[in-house]
Structure formats: C-alpha cells, structure tokens
Amino acid sequence: MFQRYKQKFGAFTLVELLVVIAIIGVLVALLLPAVQAAREAARRIQCKNNIRQMALGVLNYESALGKLPIGAEFEEDDNPAVSVKPGANWVIAILPYIEQPGVYDSFDFSLPMSASVNEKSRSTVLSGMLCPSDSDRNQEPLVISTGRSVRTWARGNYAANAGNGITIGNTIGTIKWPSSNVGPKSVGWQDHFRRGMMGPNVSVELREVTDGLTKTIMIGEIRSGLSEGDRRGAWALGTTGASVISWYGF
C-alpha cells in the first residue's frame, strides 16, 4: 500500500512543474535588480575608497613639500591642452605616497612623459586609479599615433581640479602658447573665482584655499575615453580630461 502511495504522489505533473518554474522566474526577476544594486553600491564604495587614497597621497605630498603637487608640468610656450611632450603630472608626483615608489623611480624625468623610454612606466595599470563602475572602458589603454611612433598610456578614473580659464584659450592649437596663460601669473590663476587646486605649472598651498577646504573640490571622478584615441582618463598624461579637470569638467 505504501508503494502504491509513493507511485501516485511521488512525482510532479507537467502543470505543477510549469508553475514552479514560473514562480522561480518571478523570484529571480524580483531579486536581480536588488543584486545588481548591491553590486553597484559595492563598486561605488571602492571608487570612494580609491579617491580617498588619492587625496591622502596628495595631502602627504603637501605635508612633505609645503604645497600641493603641480597638476602637470609643461615647457614654456607649450600648449597644455594639446601638448605632445608633457612633463610629470600630479599622479606621478604622489606615486611614492600611494605605495608606488617603484613606478615613480622607473620614470626618466629628464625627458617628456611621452618619450619612448617612459613607455613601460606610463603604461603601468594602477589598480588604485581604476573605478570598478567604469570597468568596461578603463581596461583599454589610450593609444596615440604620431607619425611613425605609437604611444600607449594606462587609464584611470580620477583627475585633479585645475580650475577655470588656464588651459584653454583663443589660441588653442597654435604653435606658440602665451606663457601668461600658464602658471601662477596666468589670468585664470590670479582670479580666485577661477583658480583650481593643481594646474599647469602651478598649484596652491592649503592656506590659499580661503573659502574652506571642505567646500573645495581637489580630485574628482572622470570616465575613461570611449575610443582608444580618447585621452580621457590617461593617469600619467597631464592634459585636460586625461588627469586634470578644467572648464566645468572638460
């Protein structure tokens, strides 16, 4: 009798099986957005931690040297918006303060960061510079082709506040770039409404931030470039959009 009972009730009918599958599908549909939201929240936390570490590196640099690192170094009359031979930028300057002294020492500072001798150094992927929310783009390096040379730069998602009015002007794209537009004597840097924290050939001391450090952006997040030639997010490249933000985020 027990055997007959087991045979009668021991298996699902087709209708019952379809109902169970439908219920599981509904539960998955309900839970999937919550799981995705939790994952994105975890990614955002990691992004915040990364930017906090960058900020600590900048502040440790300031404690050691008395002022913030320069946003990017350029030769006199070089155009920082389109330069092909930039010097070191703020990220390179703080490498010893974010536990990357080996990468810092590998750079040849007697030559531009775009020089072939600095290829391996500037192509180094720094995990602390990568926001997981942008992982579909920040894994692809920037590739700049100039004549016979091809230069690659690793990506990042953090850029320094370079202010408003010191990296772009009416003469953009010309061979000569007035030195009055770059550095501490530039019009944009002299105007405290337009001044940033780390700009071309210039930076501030913390005491110069008179409207409050808690109300001033020092480092912000940026997205990586949408194509291999898009400069946005190249951490060792000190041009606008690559590792510095100027003119309302461009």
Short mmCIF file of all heavy atoms in Angstrom, two decimals, residues 3-30:
data_model
loop_
_atom_site.label_atom_id
_atom_site.label_comp_id
_atom_site.label_asym_id
_atom_site.label_seq_id
_atom_site.Cartn_x
_atom_site.Cartn_y
_atom_site.Cartn_z
N GLN A 3 3.82 1.47 -1.21
CA GLN A 3 4.43 1.56 -2.53
C GLN A 3 3.50 2.23 -3.52
O GLN A 3 3.89 3.06 -4.33
CB GLN A 3 4.84 0.16 -3.01
CG GLN A 3 5.57 0.14 -4.34
CD GLN A 3 6.92 0.83 -4.24
OE1 GLN A 3 7.50 0.91 -3.15
NE2 GLN A 3 7.42 1.35 -5.35
N ARG A 4 2.19 1.87 -3.44
CA ARG A 4 1.22 2.46 -4.34
C ARG A 4 1.07 3.96 -4.07
O ARG A 4 0.97 4.78 -4.97
CB ARG A 4 -0.13 1.75 -4.20
CG ARG A 4 -0.15 0.32 -4.77
CD ARG A 4 -1.58 -0.15 -4.98
NE ARG A 4 -2.36 -0.11 -3.74
CZ ARG A 4 -2.41 -1.12 -2.86
NH1 ARG A 4 -1.71 -2.23 -3.10
NH2 ARG A 4 -3.16 -1.01 -1.77
N TYR A 5 1.12 4.38 -2.79
CA TYR A 5 1.02 5.78 -2.41
C TYR A 5 2.20 6.57 -2.97
O TYR A 5 2.05 7.65 -3.51
CB TYR A 5 0.99 5.88 -0.88
CG TYR A 5 0.99 7.30 -0.36
CD1 TYR A 5 -0.20 7.99 -0.18
CD2 TYR A 5 2.18 7.94 -0.04
CE1 TYR A 5 -0.22 9.28 0.30
CE2 TYR A 5 2.18 9.24 0.44
CZ TYR A 5 0.97 9.89 0.61
OH TYR A 5 0.97 11.18 1.09
N LYS A 6 3.38 5.98 -2.90
CA LYS A 6 4.58 6.64 -3.42
C LYS A 6 4.51 6.81 -4.91
O LYS A 6 4.89 7.84 -5.46
CB LYS A 6 5.81 5.82 -3.02
CG LYS A 6 7.13 6.44 -3.48
CD LYS A 6 8.29 5.61 -3.00
CE LYS A 6 9.61 6.23 -3.46
NZ LYS A 6 10.77 5.42 -3.02
N GLN A 7 4.02 5.80 -5.59
CA GLN A 7 3.92 5.89 -7.03
C GLN A 7 2.90 6.93 -7.46
O GLN A 7 3.06 7.60 -8.47
CB GLN A 7 3.56 4.53 -7.61
CG GLN A 7 4.66 3.50 -7.48
CD GLN A 7 4.23 2.12 -7.94
OE1 GLN A 7 3.05 1.88 -8.21
NE2 GLN A 7 5.19 1.20 -8.04
N LYS A 8 1.85 7.11 -6.65
CA LYS A 8 0.79 8.04 -7.01
C LYS A 8 1.19 9.49 -6.78
O LYS A 8 0.85 10.36 -7.56
CB LYS A 8 -0.46 7.70 -6.22
CG LYS A 8 -1.67 8.57 -6.62
CD LYS A 8 -2.91 8.12 -5.88
CE LYS A 8 -4.10 9.00 -6.29
NZ LYS A 8 -5.35 8.58 -5.56
N PHE A 9 1.92 9.76 -5.68
CA PHE A 9 2.20 11.14 -5.31
C PHE A 9 3.68 11.52 -5.35
O PHE A 9 4.05 12.58 -4.94
CB PHE A 9 1.67 11.41 -3.88
CG PHE A 9 0.19 11.22 -3.75
CD1 PHE A 9 -0.33 10.06 -3.21
CD2 PHE A 9 -0.68 12.19 -4.21
CE1 PHE A 9 -1.70 9.89 -3.09
CE2 PHE A 9 -2.06 12.03 -4.09
CZ PHE A 9 -2.57 10.86 -3.53
N GLY A 10 4.56 10.67 -5.82
CA GLY A 10 6.00 10.92 -5.75
C GLY A 10 6.55 11.80 -6.85
O GLY A 10 7.72 12.16 -6.81
N ALA A 11 5.80 12.19 -7.85
CA ALA A 11 6.32 12.99 -8.97
C ALA A 11 5.40 14.18 -9.26
O ALA A 11 4.20 14.13 -8.99
CB ALA A 11 6.47 12.12 -10.21
N PHE A 12 6.01 15.29 -9.81
CA PHE A 12 5.24 16.46 -10.21
C PHE A 12 4.54 16.18 -11.54
O PHE A 12 5.08 15.48 -12.41
CB PHE A 12 6.13 17.68 -10.39
CG PHE A 12 6.63 18.26 -9.10
CD1 PHE A 12 7.96 18.14 -8.75
CD2 PHE A 12 5.76 18.92 -8.25
CE1 PHE A 12 8.41 18.67 -7.56
CE2 PHE A 12 6.21 19.47 -7.06
CZ PHE A 12 7.54 19.34 -6.71
N THR A 13 3.40 16.75 -11.70
CA THR A 13 2.75 16.74 -13.01
C THR A 13 3.38 17.85 -13.85
O THR A 13 4.08 18.73 -13.33
CB THR A 13 1.24 16.96 -12.89
OG1 THR A 13 1.02 18.27 -12.39
CG2 THR A 13 0.60 15.94 -11.96
N LEU A 14 3.08 17.86 -15.13
CA LEU A 14 3.65 18.88 -16.02
C LEU A 14 3.16 20.28 -15.62
O LEU A 14 3.93 21.24 -15.62
CB LEU A 14 3.25 18.58 -17.47
CG LEU A 14 3.74 19.59 -18.53
CD1 LEU A 14 5.26 19.65 -18.50
CD2 LEU A 14 3.22 19.19 -19.91
N VAL A 15 1.91 20.38 -15.23
CA VAL A 15 1.36 21.68 -14.83
C VAL A 15 2.06 22.19 -13.57
O VAL A 15 2.43 23.37 -13.46
CB VAL A 15 -0.16 21.57 -14.61
CG1 VAL A 15 -0.70 22.88 -14.02
CG2 VAL A 15 -0.87 21.23 -15.90
N GLU A 16 2.26 21.28 -12.61
CA GLU A 16 2.93 21.66 -11.37
C GLU A 16 4.36 22.12 -11.65
O GLU A 16 4.86 23.09 -11.06
CB GLU A 16 2.92 20.50 -10.38
CG GLU A 16 1.54 20.17 -9.83
CD GLU A 16 1.53 18.90 -9.01
OE1 GLU A 16 2.37 18.01 -9.30
OE2 GLU A 16 0.70 18.79 -8.10
N LEU A 17 5.05 21.41 -12.53
CA LEU A 17 6.42 21.78 -12.87
C LEU A 17 6.47 23.16 -13.52
O LEU A 17 7.34 23.99 -13.20
CB LEU A 17 7.01 20.73 -13.82
CG LEU A 17 8.48 20.92 -14.22
CD1 LEU A 17 9.36 20.91 -12.98
CD2 LEU A 17 8.91 19.86 -15.20
N LEU A 18 5.52 23.45 -14.41
CA LEU A 18 5.48 24.76 -15.05
C LEU A 18 5.20 25.87 -14.04
O LEU A 18 5.75 26.97 -14.13
CB LEU A 18 4.43 24.77 -16.15
CG LEU A 18 4.72 23.88 -17.38
CD1 LEU A 18 3.55 23.89 -18.34
CD2 LEU A 18 5.99 24.35 -18.07
N VAL A 19 4.34 25.58 -13.07
CA VAL A 19 4.04 26.56 -12.04
C VAL A 19 5.27 26.87 -11.21
O VAL A 19 5.58 28.03 -10.90
CB VAL A 19 2.88 26.07 -11.14
CG1 VAL A 19 2.73 26.98 -9.92
CG2 VAL A 19 1.59 26.03 -11.93
N VAL A 20 6.02 25.82 -10.83
CA VAL A 20 7.25 26.01 -10.05
C VAL A 20 8.27 26.84 -10.83
O VAL A 20 8.89 27.76 -10.29
CB VAL A 20 7.84 24.65 -9.65
CG1 VAL A 20 9.23 24.83 -9.03
CG2 VAL A 20 6.93 23.94 -8.67
N ILE A 21 8.42 26.52 -12.11
CA ILE A 21 9.37 27.26 -12.94
C ILE A 21 8.94 28.73 -13.04
O ILE A 21 9.77 29.65 -12.97
CB ILE A 21 9.46 26.64 -14.34
CG1 ILE A 21 10.12 25.25 -14.25
CG2 ILE A 21 10.26 27.54 -15.28
CD1 ILE A 21 10.12 24.50 -15.57
N ALA A 22 7.65 28.97 -13.18
CA ALA A 22 7.15 30.35 -13.27
C ALA A 22 7.41 31.11 -11.98
O ALA A 22 7.82 32.28 -11.99
CB ALA A 22 5.66 30.35 -13.59
N ILE A 23 7.21 30.45 -10.83
CA ILE A 23 7.45 31.09 -9.54
C ILE A 23 8.93 31.43 -9.38
O ILE A 23 9.30 32.54 -8.95
CB ILE A 23 6.98 30.19 -8.39
CG1 ILE A 23 5.45 30.06 -8.41
CG2 ILE A 23 7.44 30.73 -7.04
CD1 ILE A 23 4.91 29.05 -7.42
N ILE A 24 9.80 30.49 -9.76
CA ILE A 24 11.24 30.75 -9.68
C ILE A 24 11.63 31.92 -10.58
O ILE A 24 12.42 32.79 -10.22
CB ILE A 24 12.03 29.48 -10.07
CG1 ILE A 24 11.81 28.39 -9.02
CG2 ILE A 24 13.52 29.80 -10.20
CD1 ILE A 24 12.44 27.06 -9.38
N GLY A 25 11.05 31.98 -11.79
CA GLY A 25 11.34 33.09 -12.70
C GLY A 25 10.92 34.43 -12.13
O GLY A 25 11.65 35.42 -12.25
N VAL A 26 9.74 34.48 -11.47
CA VAL A 26 9.29 35.72 -10.85
C VAL A 26 10.22 36.14 -9.73
O VAL A 26 10.58 37.32 -9.58
CB VAL A 26 7.84 35.56 -10.33
CG1 VAL A 26 7.43 36.76 -9.49
CG2 VAL A 26 6.87 35.37 -11.49
N LEU A 27 10.65 35.17 -8.90
CA LEU A 27 11.56 35.48 -7.80
C LEU A 27 12.89 36.01 -8.32
O LEU A 27 13.45 36.97 -7.77
CB LEU A 27 11.79 34.23 -6.94
CG LEU A 27 10.58 33.74 -6.12
CD1 LEU A 27 10.90 32.43 -5.43
CD2 LEU A 27 10.17 34.80 -5.11
N VAL A 28 13.42 35.39 -9.38
CA VAL A 28 14.67 35.87 -9.96
C VAL A 28 14.51 37.28 -10.50
O VAL A 28 15.38 38.16 -10.31
CB VAL A 28 15.15 34.92 -11.07
CG1 VAL A 28 16.30 35.53 -11.85
CG2 VAL A 28 15.55 33.58 -10.50
N ALA A 29 13.37 37.54 -11.17
CA ALA A 29 13.12 38.88 -11.72
C ALA A 29 13.03 39.92 -10.62
O ALA A 29 13.43 41.06 -10.79
CB ALA A 29 11.85 38.86 -12.54
N LEU A 30 12.50 39.51 -9.46
CA LEU A 30 12.40 40.44 -8.34
C LEU A 30 13.73 40.66 -7.64
O LEU A 30 14.03 41.77 -7.18
CB LEU A 30 11.37 39.91 -7.32
CG LEU A 30 9.91 39.90 -7.78
CD1 LEU A 30 9.04 39.22 -6.73
CD2 LEU A 30 9.40 41.30 -8.04
#
